[in-house]
Amino acid sequence: MTKVVNYISEAFEELKSNVTWPEWPEVQRLTIVVAVFSILFALATWGVDEIFAKALAGFFNWIKA
């Protein structure tokens, strides 16, 4: 258990002293970029899903007929 506590405390010390954190405006800008691309990717995935669903429905209707 001592090793785990030591590891966690060293990790926090590393984060405090050796990591270069971005400035707040950059964090906000990058968050917006990630949100926009996430929405675009979700819409693209939905669109492809709808196209395949309609194509498969048409295919199975064609086979039934």
Side-chain angles (χ1 to χ4, degrees):
M1 185 66 176
T2 305
K3 288 183 179 183
V4 172
V5 171
N6 190 28
Y7 173 77
I8 292 172
S9 67
E10 287 178 4
F12 275 111
E13 185 60 37
E14 182 83 16
L15 288 172
K16 282 193 246 177
S17 60
N18 295 338
V19 174
T20 304
W21 296 99
E23 297 296 322
W24 183 243
E26 185 179 8
V27 171
Q28 290 175 324
R29 184 179 58 81
L30 292 176
T31 300
I32 291 170
V33 169
V34 168
V36 167
F37 276 103
S38 295
I39 291 169
L40 289 175
F41 186 73
L43 289 173
T45 302
W46 173 77
V48 170
D49 181 54
E50 285 295 315
I51 290 169
F52 277 116
K54 288 181 182 181
L56 284 173
F59 176 73
F60 286 118
N61 285 336
W62 176 69
I63 289 177
K64 255 201 272 189

